[in-house]
Amino acid sequence: GAVVSQHPSWVICKSGTSVKIECRSLDFQATTMFWYRQFPKQSLMLMATSNEGSKATYEQGVEKDKFLINHASLTLSTLTVTSAHPEDSSFYICSAEGAWSYEQYFGPGTRLTVT
Amino acid sequence: LAKTTQPISMDSYEGQEVNITCSHNNIATNDYITWYQQFPSQGPRFIIQGYKTKVTNEVASLFIPADRKSSTLSLPRVSLSDTAVYYCLVGQIGNNFNKFYFGSGTKLNVKP
């Protein structure tokens, strides 16, 4: 149980285009999901907290107009990287918190490459 | 926010017990301590979580002293497949969710 999926697992896009990444909690409802970014050989960096039915809360330094987050249901949050540039190339990971504990369940990640 | 400090890397051999210590001097009263494991190009995987004293599950033990300013993850009899990065996290509980800020983690290298 407590499985989180991400789609796609990897994506290559051209500079200037937008890319949407989906995060789903497959067997539980998650009122809160989190989005992280991880550059090679670095740690995960929290980008934003996604709350179902309300606006996301972004961490300092993260551009909310560039990284659009939508949490329309209790099992789905989406991250859209708008007008992507090569410096946005990274590993994007989402997580969802179960209501029964303070454990976060992480997705497998999405590798974004912007050419 | 409670910041965590861990050794950057550790080496071990198969079959040994590995102890990874994490320092979190300004941990708050309502903070839990959680450890995650991450393999390359994968999302982190939950290992263990605790608040105080000792917690044990099927894969690890977590030791937390009374002052809670540090914690030690103990991995019994490691194998090559335990080579990974281990993150110690101190989370803000309450307010309906638990935000995690990842530190640098400890790269564990298990040798044959």
Side-chain angles (χ1 to χ4, degrees):
Chain A
V3 177
V4 175
S5 70
Q6 285 184 237
H7 177 79
S9 56
W10 60 269
V11 57
I12 302 173
C13 71
K14 293 185 177 180
S15 186
T17 62
S18 296
V19 175
K20 180 184 287 187
I21 302 170
E22 293 184 348
C23 176
R24 293 181 185 274
S25 55
L26 297 184
D27 49 4
F28 67 102
Q29 293 182 335
T31 55
T32 304
M33 291 183 173
F34 304 88
W35 286 96
Y36 298 83
R37 180 167 58 179
Q38 186 175 33
F39 292 109
K41 299 188 183 302
Q42 293 187 24
S43 183
L44 284 78
M45 185 194 79
L46 179 65
M47 299 176 67
T49 302
S50 171
N51 300 294
E52 186 268 337
S54 64
K55 291 183 178 180
T57 303
Y58 291 82
E59 295 297 309
Q60 191 173 9
V62 178
E63 301 175 59
K64 62 180 181 180
D65 294 330
K66 181 170 184 60
F67 298 99
L68 302 179
I69 292 173
N70 184 277
H71 194 158
S73 77
L74 289 173
T75 60
L76 173 64
S77 175
T78 60
L79 168 69
T80 301
V81 183
T82 63
S83 186
H85 289 93
E87 56 265 32
D88 298 322
S89 297
S90 187
F91 193 51
Y92 291 87
I93 307 171
C94 72
S95 71
E97 185 176 84
W100 58 94
S101 75
Y102 298 113
E103 177 182 339
Q104 283 189 26
Y105 302 92
F106 285 82
T110 297
R111 176 76 58 191
L112 170 63
T113 302
V114 184
T115 61
Chain B
L1 299 172
K3 180 181 177 180
T4 61
T5 303
Q6 303 174 233
I8 295 297
S9 65
M10 292 181 68
D11 289 332
S12 180
Y13 290 93
E14 281 191 292
Q16 288 186 331
E17 177 184 79
V18 171
N19 295 307
I20 306 175
T21 297
C22 177
S23 173
H24 28 79
N25 291 318
N26 58 339
I27 188 170
T29 302
N30 60 349
D31 283 343
Y32 272 71
I33 300 159
T34 311
W35 286 79
Y36 280 84
Q37 175 193 57
Q38 187 184 29
F39 297 112
S41 296
Q42 294 186 27
R45 184 176 74 96
F46 174 86
I47 300 175
I48 198 165
Q49 184 181 73
Y51 184 79
K52 61 180 179 180
T53 63
K54 177 184 175 182
V55 180
T56 297
N57 62 22
E58 62 274 12
V59 297
S61 294
L62 178 59
F63 300 92
I64 305 170
D67 65 5
R68 303 199 329 122
K69 293 184 182 300
S70 67
S71 60
T72 299
L73 173 71
S74 181
L75 303 173
R77 298 179 298 281
V78 294
S79 64
L80 295 177
S81 62
D82 293 317
T83 293
V85 178
Y86 292 82
Y87 292 99
C88 161
L89 299 167
V90 176
Q92 305 171 32
I93 64 173
N95 297 321
N96 299 318
F97 61 81
N98 187 17
K99 295 175 76 170
F100 282 155
Y101 295 94
F102 282 75
S104 60
T106 297
K107 175 71 169 66
L108 174 64
N109 183 29
V110 180
K111 304 175 182 178

